[in-house]
Amino acid sequence: MNNSASKPGQTLQSAFLWLTVVVLLVSFFCALWINFGIRLPTEAGDRTVGLLVDYDELKRIADSNPDISFADMARKAVVAGATGLVVRERLLADWEISGDILSFTGAELLFYQTNAAGVSSAARAVPEIVPDRTYILTGDRRIYEQLFSQLEAKRRYPEAFDYPGYLGIAVHLSSGERATLGLGFPLAQLEAAAAEGMQILPRLRNWEPVREDSLAVVFDWTAKIPNLAGIGFNDMTVPGGGADPIIQDRLAEAIRPLGKPLISFEFYDQTGLAGLAGRLNDRVLRAHAIAENELRRYANVRDAMDRFNLAATERNIRYIYLRFYGLENPAASMMSNMDLITAVRDGLAGEGLIVGYPEVLAPFSVSLPLRYLTGMGVVAAGVWLLATGAAPLLGRKRKPVLVFILLFMAGCALWAMLLLFVSALAVKLLALAGAIVFPSLGLLLAIQGEKRDADSVSSGIAAAVPPQASAGFRSGDLLRAIRAYLFLSAFTLAGAMMMSALLAAPSFMLKLDSFVGVKIAHILPLLLVPFVCWLREPERYSLLTRTVRAKVQFWQLAAFLLMLAGLAIYILRTGNESLGAVSELEMQVRQYLDRILSVRPRTKEFLVGHPAMLVLLYFGSRFSMLPVLVVGLIGQISLINTYAHIHTPLWISLTRSLHGIWIGMILGVIAVWVLLWILRLIRRIGMRYEERGEDSALP
């Protein structure tokens, strides 16, 4: 009777297991097609990197050498390897310093009119002089037209006047406006640079109010820039603040006729840029620079080259924006900075990159059915994890497998609705679920065959030594542990393929959008898996009671505080932009690993998580080994979260993961040997003390 009663339940349970495995396999193969059939070829065709220098810095060096013109300096930079020039929109002071205009306040003009010989008669041509107005004089008609039209479009209400030998503009400008209001670009110098083969990358400044007519004027003048590479912005927001969708639409309409991409500067998040990029079909090129306040840290050219090479190869950067060194003495710094350009160019070429004129990432899309099938794997794994975690509470006789099948069907239906109506949010949520589910489920599957008994561990040294330790090292146990470790890592990698396939889109690859819930993905499995392990304990409630009532010893408190500090560091060091500081020593170790391995594995994987996982799988995952389990799980969490960085090329992430797995396995084997040796040593010492005790008791 018992056998006949159990057959329907066993059949249903078997059906659920097969359904889950089949769905996971289908989803996995769909993810492989997205990653290797669509994404990887797109990344492989995107290998050109531009090398940019700064207009003001290049001009400063040229101006400090009386025998070298700006065109000569641009030619030297091109010969050294530069492909482009970054130029910020000119302020009034910039025009004045370059000698293109003269600028006076009304009070200054009144003073000159009264006290300067020969000025008073000429100044009669000026309209009534107002002390708080700004008066601009230039002999260059194109500069005059550019300044006047910019001031007029930006609602500063300029007035024209004639001055002997000059074209004049009178305008009200506050001190703040003089320091922030963009007034066009030095077209003559940019034409000279373009004639030498340089691309020009302008950075527009913000202004208020942003209106349709002002946008037209600004971008009409921007279109006159020769050899235009793209459109960049200088301030923390795009013009208009980035929050008004109407202004965003008009800004996109003004940029679209130029046919040029937007330029995104890494680590300089500009409000509104992602929304603007979406309106322009994600036509974006990413640029990387060492900020001025970091230049001293990278005074060693090799360190700077390492940073640029990593940015270009591992973060989808397509412009390297070089900042010059030694500008305290610009004339003397010319040759060293030209050598810097050449060194960076050669370093990029050595990484297999092409230094030239980059193009935007080739557009691609993933069909909804293909993305849906990929996401079903995450749903199936989530239900499997729920069933695995709930098993200890449901007992062995009656497991409501039908409930989990219905949950799977409901999850698939919900995923379909979300994908249809809020696609961007849906893929982010399911990717987050995958980052939580796969490392958690993989570890539980790897250890579920072993039986635990919390009461089997006593306070004696002998009880702390597993059976294989007392008999010495056993290769069969190690091979079993390695197989379990490789299974677990492969399962996590399969989940990583599904997660990265869900996020495979230009917006994520260009970091206009990003994986959400990074901290949650790193913390929740560390709570979830120990909780399920506690549920699996036969006497879980008595175990909890004994733990609460136990007397806390000093070493236990110290160990707890140490683990708490480690967890805090772990949390701070996770995320797309980690808050945890990286020491100089760690930076040097990272650079060394990059040089010898080409792609550096993550430290918390190969040095911490993976070795601890192998130790856990060798010695057995009894409840007393929970701290080791938590540390080992960190490696699997890091493994899957590597693929949340979609802006990192797929082959880089795969190489990083494989390096972490094999190095971590070797270190894990070494750790097992060392621990076995320590445990045998402790056992021998204990036996000697026991023998001495017996001898002393003899008559």
Side-chain angles (χ1 to χ4, degrees), residues 2 16 72 141 182 191 196 205 223 273 307 320 407 412 428 477 490 516 525 527 555 566 568 582 594 603 626 679:
N2 291 338
F16 169 70
D72 294 332
R141 176 160 292 278
E191 288 166 355
E196 300 299 333
R205 299 181 187 272
L273 185 65
R307 173 164 166 168
I320 298 298
L407 278 176
C412 290
K428 289 182 183 180
D477 293 316
V516 295
L527 303 175
W555 71 268
V582 179
D594 277 316
T603 306
L626 194 60
L679 290 172

Side-chain angles (χ1 to χ4, degrees), residues 45-81:
D46 186 35
R47 303 291 292 169
T48 302
V49 180
L51 194 51
L52 306 174
V53 294
D54 189 79
Y55 168 81
D56 290 299
E57 294 177 351
L58 198 67
K59 192 170 189 305
R60 186 173 173 184
I61 293 176
D63 291 343
S64 67
N65 289 274
D67 298 330
I68 298 177
S69 67
F70 179 78
D72 294 332
M73 199 66 239
R75 187 179 307 113
K76 289 179 180 293
V78 169
V79 170

Side-chain angles (χ1 to χ4, degrees), residues 360-372:
V360 295
L361 191 71
F364 71 90
S365 61
V366 178
S367 66
L368 281 181
L370 192 58
R371 207 180 288 274
Y372 176 75

Side-chain angles (χ1 to χ4, degrees), residues 229-241:
I231 304 300
F233 301 102
N234 187 72
D235 301 314
M236 291 302 297
T237 69
V238 300

Side-chain angles (χ1 to χ4, degrees), residues 85-134:
L85 197 64
V86 176
V87 55
R88 292 177 179 83
E89 192 173 8
R90 301 291 88 186
L91 302 171
L92 193 65
D94 295 325
W95 286 113
E96 191 169 16
I97 290 171
S98 64
D100 292 304
I101 68 168
L102 295 172
S103 174
F104 305 94
T105 63
E108 289 172 334
L109 270 186
L110 285 171
F111 175 81
Y112 292 144
Q113 182 177 350
T114 305
N115 298 289
V119 174
S120 57
S121 59
R124 295 192 187 99
V126 181
E128 180 182 356
I129 298 175
V130 180
D132 63 350
R133 295 187 87 182
T134 298

